[in-house]
Each structure stands twice: as C-alpha cells, then as structure tokens.
Amino acid sequence: MPDFECRLKKYRQLKELTQEELAVQVGVRRETIMRLEKAQYNPSLKLAVDISRAVEAPIEEIFIFPQ
Amino acid sequence: MKKKVKIIIGLGVVCLLMVLGASWYAVTFNDSRLVVPMEAPYQFTVRDLPMLIAVGCMVLYLFFLLALCYMKGKKDETAHVTRRISPKLGIMGLLGFLGFMGFWTYSADGRITPFVYFMFFGFFSFFYEGRMSNAYMDERYEENKYKAKLKAHGIALDIVYAALFFVVAAEGRILKTIDVKLMILVIAVACSMAVDVFLSEYLLYRYDHADELDESEE
C-alpha cells in the first residue's frame, strides 16, 4: 500500500470536476482516480504531472509524502 | 455491424454445406475417396474436384476468420482497450478434461499425446478476461498486468520444477519406466501452461478489483 497522503479529491472538487471528467482529461480509468484519491495507488510521474496540470495545483500539494 | 456478422456466419454455413455435399458426392459416386483413408499414393482424378474445392473453401474461410480476429485485436490494441470477449467462453476450460483421455490411450496403444489437452484448462481464464473486456488500459492496468504475469509465470515454473524434482527423486523407486516419467512431465508442463494462462487473467482481475471501493461520487 503506498504511504502518502493524497489531496486530489479536494483540488478536483475545487475545479468542479467529476472523477470521470478528470479521468478522461488525464487518460486513465475512473477507478484509477478513485484509488488515487484514497491514496491506494502510487501514480507515475507523468500521471502526477498531468493531474497537477488538470486541477491547476502544485504536485507537492496534491501528493504529500512523509519526510 | 449485425449484417456483417450475418454475412460471416452465412459464409461459414455455405462452406460447411459444400464440405457435406462433397462428402456425400464422394461416398456415392467416388468410392469414398478423400473421405476414408487411402492406402495408395494419391493420384488426382476429376471426381476429386468437388471435395478439393470444398475443403479449399473451408480452409480459406478459416484463414479469413483468423485474419479478422487478428485485425480486430490490432484495432483494440491501438485503441488501448482490452479485447472484447464474452466471459461465457470460459466454459471452454472444460475441454481440459480431455486430458484424462491420455490414461486411456496410454493403456490402449501407448500414446500420451492427449495429456497435452490439460492445457485447455487455461481457457477458464476467459471468465476473468471477459469481465475486464473492453476496459481502457491505463498505467494502473499495465502495472497490474505485469505484476499478475510475473506471479503466474513464477507459479507455473514452480510446478515444472516440482515435477522435475519428483521425477528425479523417485527414479528407480516409484517410477520404473521412462514412459511414466515422460507422462508425468507432459502432464506437469501442460498443467503449468494452463495455470500460467489462467492465473495471469485471474490475478489481473483480482489486483484491478482489489479492495472494491465505494464507487459513489462525493
């Protein structure tokens, strides 16, 4: 299980995007977004960057890894 | 789309009818040539033509079907979606029981080839492949696929190792003839291939649906 905190849901809702819309934007399945929001999937750097651009938030504020 | 499927099935039926008609012609008017095994070397006669044409058409039709499946697979691949397949096809896994015929053929005429049919147990994987049918292959899917394949290959290889170890360890004590050793190895390899194919799909499905989440949008 990945050990990080994910604040994607917060930023997604701020952008008023549904999971499905975000999934389409970044080219993954909705299930992947669901698991990302529950911090149950560790995304690739490319996906993380794509998500960060889609929700217009810095990557380090969406995915928070412990020091 | 449905019209295309109807045409394809219609072509198959026509080919099958041609083979049946040619068989009837050969049995009735051509001394059953090309229907029953012929001992003398084959020599062409004009009366063989219906059967040759019918079999030729059937072979062409089968090649056409294979080409269609290949092209469809390529199309799905470029669209990054899994192939569309019905989970019901998993029933074909029952063909694996044909492998038990090997015990009968071995005692009847020493043939062990039917043991290879144990491989068909791998068709049970269609149950799970069908459930993942037409799914978009994103990076999580690819990651789970490699993880599942790696584990399946490992388990399949373990089966072969175990069989090999058993054959070597039991040599001379339990396994006295080379036939029995060969039989065990053929069964082990066939089963390991079936396990490999089945587990690749089953584990992929398990990983993909692990910890089913509340799918409701909040």
Side-chain angles (χ1 to χ4, degrees), chain B residues 19-32:
Chain B
V19 171
L20 289 175
S23 301
W24 171 80
Y25 176 81
V27 170
T28 316
F29 302 109
N30 200 17
D31 302 326
S32 299

Side-chain angles (χ1 to χ4, degrees), chain B residues 31-130:
Chain B
D31 302 326
S32 299
R33 274 168 63 85
L34 299 173
V35 176
V36 294
M38 298 185 299
E39 285 179 11
Y42 175 72
Q43 276 187 328
F44 174 75
T45 64
V46 180
R47 285 186 172 182
D48 289 345
L49 266 179
M51 181 60 96
L52 292 176
I53 291 170
V55 171
C57 287
M58 184 55 101
V59 170
L60 280 177
Y61 176 71
L62 292 176
F63 273 114
F64 170 66
L65 279 188
L66 278 176
L68 270 185
C69 290
Y70 177 76
M71 286 191 309
K72 193 171 171 294
K74 279 280 167 199
K75 198 176 162 189
D76 287 347
E77 210 173 280
T78 49
H80 289 286
V81 292
T82 55
R83 61 180 174 173
R84 271 163 287 179
I85 206 166
S86 167
K88 287 176 190 163
L89 284 176
I91 205 82
M92 282 165 62
L94 293 174
L95 288 173
F97 287 105
L98 287 174
F100 288 105
M101 263 178 22
F103 294 106
W104 174 68
T105 56
Y106 177 70
S107 56
D109 56 11
R111 278 190 306 125
I112 60 162
T113 325
F115 286 124
V116 174
Y117 298 148
F118 280 124
M119 243 174 17
F120 294 150
F121 280 127
F123 285 139
F124 281 126
S125 65
F126 285 138
F127 279 132
Y128 293 98
E129 192 179 345

Side-chain angles (χ1 to χ4, degrees), chain A residues 9 13 29 32 35 41 44, chain B residues 138-139 208 210 217-218:
Chain A
K9 190 173 176 180
Q13 285 173 338
R29 288 178 294 160
T32 303
R35 276 166 175 76
Y41 174 62
S44 68
Chain B
D138 60 6
E139 63 171 49
D208 202 77
E217 290 267 351
E218 291 175 35

